[in-house]
Amino acid sequence: MDFLAQHAGPLAASVLYAVVGAVTLCGLFWVVELILPFSIRKEIEDDHNTALGVILAGFLIALSIIVAAAIGG
């Protein structure tokens, strides 16, 4: 019981930060879709634009690192 009492707060905080980070990341992806003059989904799914997929993956990884650093301190 003591273990649970010690780790419940940090565990809850980690889950909360993970949810906040995921929501922020999805929101930023939505903003990027609005800014770009073309449809990301159409380019990747219909036109099979692999280069755009790689660029988008790198962008999302970079945003994830930034969000993690901002939340984690």
Side-chain angles (χ1 to χ4, degrees):
M1 196 63 150
D2 187 42
F3 178 80
L4 182 61
Q6 278 184 324
H7 295 85
L11 182 63
S14 297
V15 169
L16 177 67
Y17 287 139
V19 169
V20 169
V23 169
T24 304
L25 187 61
C26 290
L28 290 172
F29 179 73
W30 180 71
V31 169
V32 168
E33 277 190 337
L34 288 178
I35 292 172
L36 291 176
F38 54 86
S39 171
I40 294 174
R41 291 188 176 135
K42 180 192 169 294
E43 285 290 323
I44 293 176
E45 290 176 5
D46 296 339
D47 299 339
H48 304 290
N49 191 341
T50 306
L52 180 62
V54 170
I55 290 171
L56 185 62
F59 178 74
L60 288 175
I61 289 170
L63 279 177
S64 298
I65 292 170
I66 292 169
V67 168
I71 290 174

